[in-house]
Amino acid sequence: MKFTLRASVAALALSTASAAFAADKVVVVTSFPSSMTGPIEAAFEAANPGIDLEILNKKTSAGVKYIQEISDANTADIFWASAPDAFEVLKGDGLLADVAIKSEGIPEKIGAYPMNDPDGKYFGFAAAGYGIMWNERYLKANDLAPAKNWADLKDAAYHGHVGMSAPSRSGTTHLTVETLLQGEGWDKGWSEWKWIAGNFSTVTERSFGVPDGVNTGNFGLGIVIDFFGFSSKASGFPVDFAYPEVTALVPANIAVVNNAPNAGSAQAFVEYLLTPEGQEVLLDPAIMRLPINPATYSNAPKGFPNPFEDSSIGAAVKFDVAKSGARYNLVNSMFDVMITYRLDDLRAAVGAVQKAEAKHTGGDNAEAKALIAEARALIDANPIDEAKSLDADFAAIFTKKRKKATDEVGERQAEVEQQWDTMVVENYRKAKELADKAAGM
């Protein structure tokens, strides 16, 4: 009995001591790759030995859905991603906490864009721009020049050499698509995307697949968020990156989830990211994100862009996050119907037009040129105008994204998507037919 009692007291003392030294667990739901979260996690835990970060990696849209699904019995502390419209969705659902974050040296805006949510629900920790990366060896081997503006990617020389992920599978890709729609206008923006996509080699499953494809030379050019290009170059891959003139510069964000189990430690993590030490970690070669503290750039590697000195980055587009959020699922659906699921049809139509134009460049065959113009107009045609995209009742039809074309969606969404699909399939078929006819003249 004495031994048992003594053992129990010792066990209790040991468990009490262990509890006293146990680290708080902070559950972080994030779309960022381990190459980025790993160095930040290590630096934060070294600076805060009493806190243990647990990283749950999910695509942005899946992360939003996860936070929504566990809201009644929340087990997550942090939501951490690039896309501001994803934070707007969670904010609108009342799922982000109102916290007072301490920071010094962080400006109120990045370019013309507010650094933080004005209601204090989420906070910028890095800046993000969107553009084009390329593999220099691949381009040299294929006698191609780097594409530095979106319009460059429409050139026939890049046919089969470009990669991109679908916006329905990547929050950062959605921002890229929406940026061009806002920067060029609805009709011209969609036209640009279709003619660029006509040169696609592939639409990847995840955004990470694009830099991986460029790094390994599976394709020569990729449409990416900036840090994919910077980190690949810093890691020794023969790649480079350029911001097109029409691009946006917006904060990548972080928020404490409402009713977070470890709210105090979660707030400590957010504040750490904004300290000079936390901002410095963003310059790790595996990360290479744009810090939001201007002072950090004094330690940046040579040639690293500084948006606080180069005001041209993102200046052409004043990104409207409310507009983006209002038609988020609709834009994703249009891209998938017109591009992702009909890539072969689109690629064939664009290729036929490119072939016909090459034959008749500088020529005087009016009939052939009229056929080419008609083919172009068929490819350009959109199933709806911008006003319709901003009709709240119509946009509300699009409540679910697909992972593949055969996934089930709501009856009304499926009906509208089928109408769109019927239109674009016929347009692409007819465009190819007309272009082939012109090429044969």
Side-chain angles (χ1 to χ4, degrees):
M1 176 65 74
K2 287 182 179 179
F3 175 80
T4 303
L5 180 60
R6 213 174 270 160
S8 298
V9 171
L12 178 61
L14 181 61
S15 65
T16 302
S18 298
F21 291 99
D24 286 341
K25 181 176 74 172
V26 176
V27 178
V28 180
V29 179
T30 182
S31 62
F32 296 129
S34 58
S35 59
M36 173 178 160
T37 61
I40 293 175
E41 179 182 5
F44 172 73
E45 290 179 349
N48 298 269
I51 305 177
D52 176 42
L53 290 187
E54 180 179 314
I55 303 294
L56 296 183
N57 186 262
K58 296 179 181 292
K59 288 185 282 189
T60 302
S61 55
V64 169
K65 185 177 180 181
Y66 178 78
I67 299 295
Q68 291 169 331
E69 289 176 343
I70 64 171
S71 60
D72 290 338
N74 181 41
T75 56
D77 298 298
I78 292 283
F79 182 65
W80 192 22
S82 287
D85 37 16
F87 289 81
E88 282 293 305
V89 170
L90 292 176
K91 174 185 170 181
D93 290 344
L95 298 177
L96 301 182
D98 187 0
V99 293
I101 297 298
K102 301 174 185 176
S103 65
E104 293 183 6
I106 309 296
E108 293 184 358
K109 292 185 176 182
I110 180 78
Y113 200 96
M115 193 70 76
N116 303 315
D117 172 45
D119 297 322
K121 299 294 187 179
Y122 57 91
F123 305 88
F125 77 93
Y130 309 91
I132 305 162
M133 69 179 289
W134 60 86
N135 185 308
E136 293 179 323
R137 292 176 186 168
Y138 182 106
L139 296 192
K140 184 176 181 180
N142 288 275
D143 196 25
L144 295 170
K148 297 184 179 181
N149 272 300
W150 302 121
D152 296 342
L153 290 173
K154 299 187 298 180
D155 193 288
Y158 297 110
H159 195 82
H161 297 295
V162 184
M164 181 176 169
S165 60
S168 59
R169 301 170 187 168
S170 163
T172 55
T173 304
H174 172 87
L175 286 177
T176 310
V177 170
E178 181 67 52
T179 293
L180 197 52
L181 297 180
Q182 292 190 23
E184 296 285 10
W186 180 259
D187 288 328
K188 185 178 179 183
W190 276 121
S191 173
E192 294 279 278
W193 279 124
K194 283 184 274 189
W195 288 97
I196 291 169
N199 285 334
F200 280 179
S201 167
T202 186
V203 175
T204 65
E205 288 290 334
R206 296 199 68 176
S207 56
F208 312 146
V210 181
D212 287 348
V214 176
N215 289 341
T216 58
N218 286 341
F219 43 88
L221 306 99
I223 297 168
V224 298
I225 191 170
D226 52 13
F227 75 89
F228 280 145
F230 299 147
S231 61
S232 292
K233 184 176 181 178
S235 298
F237 288 101
V239 302
D240 212 339
F241 172 89
Y243 292 109
E245 184 177 334
V246 178
T247 192
L249 188 67
V250 298
N253 300 286
I254 188 165
V256 177
V257 180
N258 204 27
N259 298 318
N262 303 286
S265 296
Q267 181 170 338
F269 178 58
V270 177
E271 290 180 345
Y272 173 78
L273 287 177
L274 303 179
T275 63
E277 296 77 16
Q279 289 284 289
E280 189 82 21
V281 181
L282 298 176
L283 298 176
D284 184 292
I287 301 175
M288 298 298 279
R289 298 209 66 147
L290 302 180
I292 57 170
N293 188 329
T296 308
Y297 287 88
S298 63
N299 298 317
K302 184 179 179 180
F304 192 69
N306 183 343
F308 297 102
E309 291 186 353
D310 183 356
S311 60
S312 69
I313 302 173
V317 181
K318 302 298 184 285
F319 191 84
D320 186 336
V321 68
K323 178 184 283 190
S324 177
R327 63 190 188 193
Y328 187 91
N329 290 326
L330 181 150
V331 166
N332 289 347
S333 181
M334 282 187 68
F335 190 97
D336 279 342
V337 170
M338 296 195 297
I339 295 173
T340 310
Y341 304 145
R342 294 300 176 186
L343 182 57
D344 288 343
D345 295 340
L346 174 59
R347 193 160 41 200
V350 168
V353 171
Q354 291 170 344
K355 181 179 178 182
E357 288 180 332
K359 180 171 182 179
H360 292 286
T361 297
D364 57 1
N365 189 323
E367 184 181 357
K369 290 185 176 182
L371 291 172
I372 293 170
E374 187 178 350
R376 277 189 161 274
L378 285 165
I379 292 172
D380 284 344
N382 284 325
I384 62 170
D385 60 17
E386 182 163 32
K388 191 70 170 177
S389 80
L390 296 172
D391 180 325
D393 290 337
F394 184 73
I397 292 169
F398 302 88
T399 58
K400 185 177 179 182
K401 71 181 185 69
R402 305 172 189 260
K403 292 184 178 178
K404 52 184 181 294
T406 55
D407 283 354
E408 291 187 4
V409 295
E411 183 177 350
R412 183 70 178 115
Q413 180 177 342
E415 179 185 344
V416 173
E417 288 181 347
Q418 183 57 56
Q419 293 170 358
W420 292 353
D421 185 64
T422 300
M423 172 188 161
V424 299
V425 168
E426 176 59 18
N427 281 11
Y428 296 162
R429 183 199 66 77
K430 183 65 174 176
K432 183 179 184 303
E433 179 183 286
L434 293 171
D436 286 342
K437 183 178 179 180
M441 291 177 146

